[in-house]
Amino acid sequence: MSGIVPGTDAEVSAAIDPSSFVKTLSPSDVATRIRPGGILHWPPFFFPIDIISPTHTVGEGRTNLTLIASDIMQTDTSGTPYASFTFRPVPSGGPGVSVHFDPAAYGATATADYVVSFLVSTSGPVSLTVGGYAGSGSVTGAGVTTVNGNVSVVVGLQNVPPGQQTYASIQQTSPGPSWSWFNTWIEHPPLVFEP
């Protein structure tokens, strides 16, 4: 393993603050609009469903992580664990991160919307192809986006049936600077109450 230094010298990551990351979709782009009288029960909208990371790669059911062509995955840092990537062509296109999500394994019993956010940090502008799958539902935020700095790449999965296994992904498909992935948040969208 030439070039990799074990121990404390390998700790190159500082702790991150997810709230400081710029989002690629605004909260209104993925919000769930409801009327107060239409609420039958309150799901736990204020907490993430799960956070997949280098140290938590498997969630409930078939919820899991796939890393494509990462340079390093650092899990023993005193900062925030991460996976780093540098562009190189691979059969699937380029380096990336994919997270599969199994709503039923977390207790989903009805069609619902979800937000999947990838926290990444780049050393310059990086073009990422953003994708997702929601079964008979729909995906928002998909397509090519260019990110720079600390960014939360947001994918909306809308009208997902409870038994539908889904995924969201980001993949670098053209040359550019290196980038790091810290974690992926799976959440309910923010609530917007309408009269």
Side-chain angles (χ1 to χ4, degrees), residues 68-141:
I68 303 165
S70 68
D71 295 330
I72 186 171
M73 186 161 98
Q74 187 71 42
T75 60
D76 66 342
T77 177
S78 60
T80 302
Y82 67 96
S84 66
F85 302 86
T86 304
F87 181 77
R88 63 185 169 280
V90 294
S92 64
V97 180
S98 176
V99 171
H100 288 82
F101 170 54
D102 183 353
Y106 293 88
T109 58
T111 298
D113 297 343
Y114 303 98
V115 176
V116 181
S117 304
F118 296 85
L119 272 64
V120 299
S121 183
T122 73
S123 59
V126 173
S127 291
L128 297 174
T129 299
V130 180
Y133 176 72
S136 60
S138 60
V139 177
T140 58

Side-chain angles (χ1 to χ4, degrees), residues 1-22:
M1 289 197 279
S2 104
I4 298 176
V5 181
T8 58
D9 291 337
E11 296 182 15
V12 296
S13 175
I16 63 162
D17 176 8
S19 67
S20 69
F21 282 54
V22 176

Side-chain angles (χ1 to χ4, degrees), residues 34-191:
I34 58 172
R35 289 180 170 30
I39 299 172
L40 301 176
H41 60 83
W42 283 95
F45 281 97
F46 306 107
F47 302 102
I49 297 167
D50 207 340
I51 301 173
I52 302 299
S53 71
T55 58
H56 178 66
T57 59
V58 177
E60 301 294 325
R62 300 269 306 144
T63 302
N64 66 77
L65 166 69
T66 301
L67 296 179
I68 303 165
S70 68
D71 295 330
I72 186 171
M73 186 161 98
Q74 187 71 42
T75 60
D76 66 342
T77 177
S78 60
T80 302
Y82 67 96
S84 66
F85 302 86
T86 304
F87 181 77
R88 63 185 169 280
V90 294
S92 64
V97 180
S98 176
V99 171
H100 288 82
F101 170 54
D102 183 353
Y106 293 88
T109 58
T111 298
D113 297 343
Y114 303 98
V115 176
V116 181
S117 304
F118 296 85
L119 272 64
V120 299
S121 183
T122 73
S123 59
V126 173
S127 291
L128 297 174
T129 299
V130 180
Y133 176 72
S136 60
S138 60
V139 177
T140 58
V144 177
T145 187
T146 300
V147 298
N148 191 2
N150 292 339
V151 179
S152 177
V153 179
V154 180
V155 181
L157 304 175
Q158 299 173 321
N159 299 313
V160 177
Q164 179 65 60
Q165 293 181 22
T166 67
Y167 75 83
S169 63
I170 57 174
Q171 186 170 24
Q172 183 180 5
T173 54
S174 63
S178 63
W179 55 284
S180 295
W181 165 79
F182 297 104
N183 55 45
T184 298
W185 292 53
I186 303 167
E187 303 174 278
H188 292 284
L191 293 177

